[in-house]
Amino acid sequence: YAWALIKHPLPIIPNLRVEYVSIYDEGTTTGKVNGITVSKAPTTVDMKQVDFVPYYNLLDNTFWMTIDAGIDIKLIQTDAVVGKVYADTSTSVIPFLYLRDRVEIPATNVGIESDVKFITDGSSTIYDARAKVDYTFEITPVIKPAIEIGYRIQDFNIDDDDDSTKGHLKYKGVYAGIMLRF
């Protein structure tokens, strides 16, 4: 997981957040795949995601709080293999609603942040949610290293109305990271 946040002072033009996530998973599949019934078929999913998030600050460090809203254009490249009956490489572009909030705890270098990206059409729902705590070290006035620990959930629940495509992938867990603030 890597990200960059690009902020500027022009209120008409949205700010930009760019993210990259790589997920590799191995498991089994039970059900119908390409019209063939499988039971506990070995399955691999290799998913690479790039998010382009143009957003606006609704609050920008107002009383130690930041609230951002925008859209997320998520580019997903997936390589999936289910036993000997299915292998596919696909690329999808999915738009999401994006909302982020952050609170800086006064007189500390601690921040608490969460964000969510969400889309649904009634039968299929996809979301990506994260909550974290970070600490920024005041070593230099320009470049400030920081550490973060958080929890993230990505849930892909696909159920097309014509019953041709159904699937549910859910990835969740604790993560830790380092960052640089400029």
Side-chain angles (χ1 to χ4, degrees), residues 28-174:
T28 60
T29 298
T30 299
K32 284 193 174 191
V33 179
N34 278 353
I36 299 170
T37 300
V38 296
S39 177
K40 297 184 181 177
T43 303
T44 60
V45 175
D46 186 5
M47 188 183 318
K48 299 193 178 15
Q49 305 170 31
V50 178
D51 294 71
F52 299 95
V53 185
Y55 70 91
Y56 289 98
N57 293 116
L58 303 179
L59 289 177
D60 192 12
N61 288 331
T62 307
F63 299 108
W64 307 283
M65 180 177 272
T66 298
I67 297 176
D68 300 333
I71 59 171
D72 176 3
I73 295 28
K74 186 182 284 278
L75 174 66
I76 303 174
Q77 180 181 344
T78 306
D79 293 313
V81 177
V82 180
K84 296 181 181 183
V85 299
Y86 180 79
D88 185 49
T89 298
S90 63
T91 302
S92 304
V93 177
I94 304 171
F96 290 82
L97 295 176
Y98 171 78
L99 186 61
R100 172 182 169 256
D101 65 329
R102 178 174 177 80
V103 175
E104 301 274 342
I105 298 176
T108 72
N109 292 343
V110 176
I112 301 169
E113 183 175 320
S114 66
D115 65 50
V116 65
K117 303 163 188 168
F118 178 84
I119 188 169
T120 187
D121 68 357
S123 59
S124 296
T125 300
I126 303 172
Y127 69 88
D128 183 352
R130 177 179 38 236
K132 73 172 189 172
V133 175
D134 60 55
Y135 181 83
T136 303
F137 297 94
E138 298 283 341
I139 296 173
T140 69
V142 177
I143 300 174
K144 300 175 184 177
I147 57 173
E148 67 181 28
I149 187 164
Y151 189 81
R152 185 172 187 170
I153 300 173
Q154 285 193 331
D155 193 331
F156 301 85
N157 191 356
I158 309 299
D159 187 2
D160 285 348
D161 291 332
D162 63 3
D163 288 336
S164 65
T165 305
K166 287 187 179 187
H168 191 188
L169 296 172
K170 188 172 194 175
Y171 301 102
K172 60 183 178 177
V174 175

